[in-house]
Amino acid sequence: MAIRVLAALLALGVPAGACLLCFTTYSQRLRLCHMFAGRPGPEIDKCEAAFTAAFKTLSDVEINYDEKSHLHDTFTQMTHSLQELAAAGGSYRIGFAGAARKMKNAILQLKQAQACIPPCGLQDFARLFRCRGCYSRDCDLPLDCPGASPREGVARGGVRVWGRGLGVTRGRSSVRDVMVPRGDQAMFPCVVNYQLPQEEIAYSWKFAEGLRTQDVNYFRDVPGAHGYLARIRPVQSKHSGTFSCVIKQDQRLLARLYFFLNVTGPPPRAETELQVAFREVLRWAPRDAELLEPWAPSLGELLARPEALTPSNLCLLAAVAAVAAASATLLAWVFIRWYLSGS
C-alpha cells in the first residue's frame, strides 16, 4: 500500500523524502523495515511510510554537485546505523526521525555551490544536484559569450587581464565589433569573466572571411592558433570578418566568443615601406621559431653549381690563382735568401 502511495506522489510531482529516494534503493529500505517489523504485513507498510515521512523535510534539497558522492557515502553510513538499531530491537519511528535529523545536519555541513556568473558559459563550479527529481542542473546561460572588451578586465585562470592597444570595440551582442586601422595590429582576448577549470583547457580559433556571423558552417580553422590571445599585425583588408574562439575542456564545449574585425582607413604613409618589408619577411619566414644557420659552401660545391662558371667568375678565379702563385713565388724567394745567408 505504501509503495503505491509513494508512486502516486512521485507521479504528481510531490516527492516524499526525495533525498532518501535518491541515495537509497527500494531493496535497502524494504530490508530495513523487515528487520524492524519482522514478517510482511501491515506493520511493514507503516514502517515504509514512516521512513519516507521522516525525510520529508529533505525533499527540496539542492547541493553542490561535487558533494554528491560525499552525501551518498553519508546515506550509506546511515543505513548501516539503522541496521544496527534494528538488530538491537530498537523502534523504527525513533530511528528514522533521528537519522533524518543527522542527515539534515550533514547536508548543512557540505560545501555550498557558487552562484552562476552571467552572461554565459558552462560553469561546473555552480552545478547543482536536486533531490527533487534526482538530477543535476547547470547554469541556464548560453554558451556564446560577448567578446571581451579591450577596456574591461576579464578573468583567466584567476588572473585579471587588461587589454591594451586592441582597437575600438562596440556593441553588446554575442559578436563583438572591433575596428582597427589598416596597418595597425588587432588582438582578440579569448577570456571569460569566471574561473575556468585548471586542467585540460584547449583554445581553438576559426575565421569567417568577410562575414559578421555566428553560423559555424561559415568558419574555417586558423592553423597554429591555440592560445587564449590571438594577434594580427599588420592588419590588412583580407582580415575583415568574424574570428571565433572556442574554449573546451577534454572535448567538452565550455564557451564560444566572436569578434568581428572591421579594417578601416589607409595605412600611415611613413610606415608603408616598413610594413611592406615586414610582410615580405613574414611571408618567407618559417612558421616555427627556428634558428637559421648561414650556408658556407666549399670551393668544390661552388664549382659544381651550373651557374658558377660564368666569364666573370672565371676571371675572378684566374686572378685568385695568379695572386696565389705570386705569393708562393715570393715566399720561396724569401726562404732561399734566408737559407743562403745562413750558410
Side-chain angles (χ1 to χ4, degrees):
M1 177 66 69
I3 301 303
R4 290 194 295 270
V5 172
L6 180 58
L9 290 174
L10 291 176
L12 294 173
V14 184
C19 278
L20 177 68
L21 303 182
C22 292
F23 295 102
T24 63
T25 64
Y26 169 69
S27 59
Q28 288 175 329
R29 298 190 296 272
L30 183 61
R31 181 183 177 186
L32 276 172
C33 282
H34 275 294
M35 294 179 66
F36 276 114
R39 296 180 179 180
E43 195 63 24
I44 294 292
D45 292 340
K46 293 179 181 179
C47 176
E48 293 177 357
F51 208 171
T52 55
F55 284 82
K56 186 177 181 180
T57 57
L58 303 181
S59 60
D60 292 326
V61 168
E62 290 186 343
I63 64 171
N64 185 337
Y65 185 84
D66 292 339
E67 298 285 348
K68 180 184 175 183
S69 59
H70 185 195
L71 186 58
H72 183 273
D73 294 340
T74 306
F75 266 97
T76 301
Q77 295 174 4
M78 178 205 73
T79 303
H80 292 326
S81 298
L82 289 175
Q83 289 175 351
E84 294 175 355
L85 178 63
S91 168
Y92 64 79
R93 297 183 185 278
I94 296 176
F96 293 157
R101 288 193 298 270
K102 291 180 180 179
M103 290 306 305
K104 185 174 183 179
N105 291 333
I107 290 173
L108 293 176
Q109 300 301 317
L110 297 177
K111 181 178 64 176
Q112 298 297 312
Q114 300 181 40
C116 298
I117 301 177
C120 62
L122 184 62
Q123 304 172 15
D124 284 341
F125 58 83
R127 192 178 184 186
L128 295 174
F129 179 81
R130 300 192 67 181
C131 284
R132 179 185 289 271
C134 304
Y135 69 94
S136 60
R137 179 172 64 87
D138 293 315
C139 298
D140 187 18
L141 297 173
L143 293 177
D144 291 343
C145 301
S149 169
R151 305 187 186 281
E152 297 172 356
V154 285
R156 175 182 177 269
V159 179
R160 210 73 173 170
V161 179
W162 294 90
R164 295 182 59 187
L166 310 183
V168 179
T169 65
R170 62 186 181 186
R172 295 181 175 272
S173 65
S174 293
V175 180
R176 173 76 63 172
D177 290 297
V178 181
M179 300 180 63
V180 178
R182 186 184 294 107
D184 206 339
Q185 77 167 1
M187 296 181 68
F188 310 118
C190 186
V191 287
V192 292
N193 63 342
Y194 62 88
Q195 180 76 40
L196 289 173
Q198 297 295 325
E199 299 178 351
E200 299 180 346
I201 294 297
Y203 299 88
S204 61
W205 289 86
K206 301 177 183 294
F207 178 55
E209 184 175 357
L211 298 174
R212 189 181 192 278
T213 181
Q214 292 177 246
D215 190 336
V216 296
N217 296 314
Y218 291 104
F219 286 89
R220 58 177 175 83
D221 293 332
V222 179
H226 303 293
Y228 80 97
L229 185 65
R231 180 172 60 180
I232 303 174
R233 60 177 182 179
V235 169
Q236 301 298 323
S237 298
K238 64 182 180 180
H239 298 136
S240 295
T242 303
F243 290 84
S244 171
C245 174
V246 180
I247 307 176
K248 290 185 177 181
Q249 181 190 31
D250 193 21
Q251 302 304 315
R252 186 173 58 126
L253 180 61
L254 300 183
R256 286 185 298 252
L257 289 84
Y258 298 89
F259 306 86
F260 178 70
L261 177 58
N262 186 5
V263 181
T264 63
R269 293 183 179 180
E271 298 182 5
T272 301
E273 295 182 0
L274 178 61
Q275 290 172 359
V276 171
F278 184 68
R279 284 198 298 274
E280 293 299 323
V281 172
L282 290 180
R283 181 178 302 174
W284 293 103
R287 289 183 177 273
D288 299 327
E290 298 178 352
L291 177 60
L292 301 179
E293 297 180 357
W295 181 48
S298 64
L299 179 61
E301 291 174 329
L302 280 174
L303 294 177
R305 296 172 63 87
E307 66 274 19
L309 299 179
T310 61
S312 59
N313 287 346
L314 289 174
C315 293
L316 180 61
L317 287 175
V320 171
V323 172
S327 299
T329 302
L330 179 62
L331 287 174
W333 180 75
V334 171
F335 176 76
I336 292 173
R337 289 196 59 182
W338 171 76
Y339 180 79
L340 292 177
S341 63
S343 59

